[in-house]
Amino acid sequence: DLDPWYRVPLGVINHGIVALGLLGLVLFGRDALAASDRAPREAFFTLLALLAAHVALHGITAVEMRFGLVLLLALFPLAGYGAIRIMSWDSRRKLIVAACVSVYVVAALILSNWVRSLAPVIAAGS
């Protein structure tokens, strides 16, 4: 079933986590690179290597969506980090982040719907 009842709510949650996780990654990277201790920088570059390797693997193979769990597991704590950092920002910056996350989520759901609409074509070609 490519259109279960929970598809859109779960998509909003997943893509919201991804958007906040990417923001958290940027904020963590900025903090790690400015830190005097090596440990945050090493953690940041290790995390970047993991994410880059996983994205590269997805780019060259035909994997199922469940294999994206590694990305969600890596981005989930970063989403929390980003959300905590955003709480201290002024309301204007919070509104900008909320708008950007919303645009990202809507665009991702539209793209997901387009890919889902291609399923019969893909199945017929294989």
Side-chain angles (χ1 to χ4, degrees), residues 31-44:
D31 292 346
L33 294 176
S36 58
D37 188 15
R38 287 182 19 182
R41 285 192 301 275
E42 290 173 354
F44 175 67

Side-chain angles (χ1 to χ4, degrees), residues 7-27:
R7 181 180 165 277
V8 173
L10 186 61
V12 169
I13 292 167
N14 283 340
H15 290 297
I17 289 170
V18 168
L20 282 175
L22 292 173
L23 176 62
L25 179 65
V26 169
L27 294 173

Side-chain angles (χ1 to χ4, degrees), residues 76-122:
F76 190 77
L78 289 167
Y81 179 80
I84 290 169
R85 291 285 308 276
I86 290 167
M87 290 303 172
S88 66
W89 293 358
D90 62 75
S91 58
R92 179 179 173 272
R93 288 174 69 189
K94 286 180 188 175
L95 186 60
I96 291 170
V97 168
C100 290
V101 168
S102 297
V103 166
Y104 174 87
V105 168
V106 169
L109 289 175
I110 290 170
L111 180 62
S112 174
N113 193 42
W114 174 71
V115 169
R116 188 176 57 89
S117 74
L118 295 178
V121 176
I122 293 169

